[in-house]
Amino acid sequence: MADQKHADTIKARNKRLMLGCVVIVGGMVGLTYASVPLYALFCRVTGFGGTTQVAHEAPADVSEKTIKVRFNADVNSGLHWQFKPDQREMTVKLGQDNLAHYTAENMSVHPITGQAVYNVTPLKAGQYFSKIACFCFDEQTLEPGQRVDMPVSFYVDPAIAEDINTQDVKTITLSYTFYKAESSVEAPDGNEDQGG
């Protein structure tokens, strides 16, 4: 009788342990899906991690001082797109409105919606890098095989040259990573075919 009671106690403990593990794994999966939009919101509000600024127009004064801007593009493994900058770098005048282009192509056989997360490095330059218009402000839906031009209009604030903490910055790298948006259209069977 004691052995049966001991066995029942062990079964009850194992069930609690298994339930606890399922809850932890479920919570981790939920946090994974929520992490991209939450991180993007946090960075936009605080300027953390090299998050750029948003502006309506470039300043009236353009400096003769220049800075090099490099462009980087990545795609999360869950998004079956090709995404790349059309130019690797540009030398721009501080305060001048500039236009750079990226190209994205949906490599799957289904429509997919993506959302870009972005930042600049060095991180201390984020407060001086302002976007006027950008594909990253909204989700982007591409049809199967569709290839699109994605421009970004930006300027680098001339104040970067006056800040003692950024006077050593000669190059800024603008980086984008595209993720599959939560609202993305799914394949009829729930699986996303990578296509060609």
Side-chain angles (χ1 to χ4, degrees):
M1 190 62 138
D3 288 339
Q4 182 62 36
K5 195 173 193 179
H6 181 68
D8 289 343
T9 303
I10 291 175
K11 284 182 182 177
R13 285 183 187 166
N14 286 344
K15 283 183 181 179
R16 283 194 304 262
L17 178 63
M18 189 167 76
L19 180 61
C21 289
V22 167
V23 167
I24 289 171
V25 169
M28 291 171 71
V29 169
L31 283 174
T32 300
Y33 280 105
S35 65
V36 173
L38 289 176
Y39 177 74
L41 177 63
F42 171 75
C43 291
R44 283 187 202 130
V45 170
T46 64
F48 178 77
T51 300
T52 63
Q53 305 303 306
V54 177
H56 295 291
E57 60 184 25
D61 296 329
V62 175
S63 172
E64 288 304 311
K65 294 181 181 177
T66 62
I67 195 164
K68 189 180 292 186
V69 179
R70 291 189 178 143
F71 302 92
N72 181 58
D74 294 299
V75 178
N76 178 269
S77 61
L79 182 65
H80 306 298
W81 285 9
Q82 283 187 352
F83 175 59
K84 61 183 181 181
D86 291 356
Q87 63 289 301
R88 285 287 170 209
E89 62 183 39
M90 298 169 67
T91 299
V92 301
K93 290 182 178 181
L94 299 181
Q96 183 177 33
D97 186 357
N98 303 281
L99 190 62
H101 294 267
Y102 285 76
T103 301
E105 183 175 4
N106 181 353
M107 305 305 289
S108 84
V109 295
H110 302 285
I112 302 179
T113 301
Q115 177 73 53
V117 175
Y118 52 87
N119 75 340
V120 297
T121 52
L123 302 181
K124 60 187 176 181
Q127 63 183 318
Y128 298 108
F129 195 100
S130 295
K131 293 181 189 175
I132 299 169
C134 181
F135 58 87
C136 58
F137 295 157
D138 301 303
E139 292 181 348
Q140 305 291 324
T141 301
L142 299 185
E143 296 299 320
Q146 183 180 9
R147 182 181 177 134
V148 296
D149 175 52
M150 294 186 166
V152 56
S153 173
F154 69 94
Y155 70 89
V156 180
D157 192 322
I160 195 170
E162 308 307 320
D163 186 338
I164 194 162
N165 295 316
T166 55
Q167 288 182 352
D168 63 328
V169 176
K170 305 297 181 216
T171 302
I172 297 174
T173 302
L174 175 61
S175 296
Y176 289 97
T177 301
F178 253 108
Y179 291 85
K180 187 174 182 180
E182 198 172 302
S183 62
S184 186
V185 177
E186 293 292 328
D189 62 359
N191 295 321
E192 199 62 58
D193 184 0
Q194 292 186 15

